[in-house]
Amino acid sequence: LRATGFLVGLSLTAQAAIEVPLFRSAARIVALLGGLRPALLSTSFAGCIRFIGWSLAPNAWVVLPFECGHGWSFALAYTSMSAIGDLFAPVGLQATVVGLLSSCLGLGNLTATLGWGLVVETVGLGASFGVAAGVFGLAALVPLLMMAAQLPRRRGGASRAVCGSGAGGGRG
């Protein structure tokens, strides 16, 4: 996109400006979204939207608003990863589990960087962001379908989980 050094610096500033407040309020956001699964799912969707913006941007300045999505996709994902460490690690080993998860994240970044080079060489830089959007969209779709499969089955048009079991609550 031929961004200037100034625009790259402004992009990093936008990322940090949104990331810091999100890190401070991420635990509340995770709770508001309904827990870790929906929060992690939203980070994949945020990445998808961000890469769609990059792939459609006619110039580098148009990308700047999409950089705010980095805060959502990174800060919320990292906070969720830390919460997973708290949930599954024995007392006293939470930091070790978060460290292991961070290592897995780093290995994933390494793999993505190597793969990204191949994608850019094959389809070009602009189209590669569309490929990234597709990958993030698919990454979000799989857990979304898994979560939908776990919802209570509807019988007779409405579920008790949705309508309640009181008067007017459906046939259940």
Side-chain angles (χ1 to χ4, degrees):
L1 295 173
R2 309 213 191 312
T4 64
F6 173 75
L7 184 57
V8 171
L10 195 57
S11 171
L12 293 172
T13 301
Q15 288 178 4
I18 194 72
E19 206 172 87
V20 171
L22 277 172
F23 266 122
R24 301 243 341 129
S25 58
R28 286 183 298 224
I29 294 171
V30 168
L32 285 171
L33 290 172
L36 291 173
R37 284 183 182 176
L40 287 171
L41 183 62
S42 76
T43 65
S44 292
F45 279 126
C48 180
I49 291 167
R50 185 174 174 214
F51 289 131
I52 287 171
W54 285 3
S55 70
L56 299 176
N59 64 59
W61 283 97
V62 177
V63 170
L64 196 56
F66 292 99
E67 285 304 293
C68 294
H70 173 78
W72 190 271
S73 57
F74 178 72
L76 206 57
Y78 203 87
T79 300
S80 297
M81 183 176 68
S82 298
I84 289 169
D86 282 345
L87 281 175
F88 294 105
V91 174
L93 292 178
Q94 293 94 337
T96 302
V97 171
V98 171
L100 289 171
L101 291 171
S102 293
S103 297
C104 291
L105 180 65
L107 183 59
N109 286 338
L110 173 65
T111 305
T113 300
L114 293 173
W116 181 252
L118 296 173
V119 171
V120 170
E121 288 291 322
T122 304
V123 300
L125 185 59
S128 63
F129 290 119
V131 171
V135 168
F136 271 74
L138 285 174
L141 186 62
V142 171
L144 182 64
L145 292 174
M146 291 172 59
M147 286 171 28
Q150 293 176 357
L151 291 175
R153 301 279 184 222
R154 290 184 173 195
R155 293 183 313 162
S159 160
R160 286 180 190 228
V162 174
C163 297
S165 58
R171 294 188 304 181

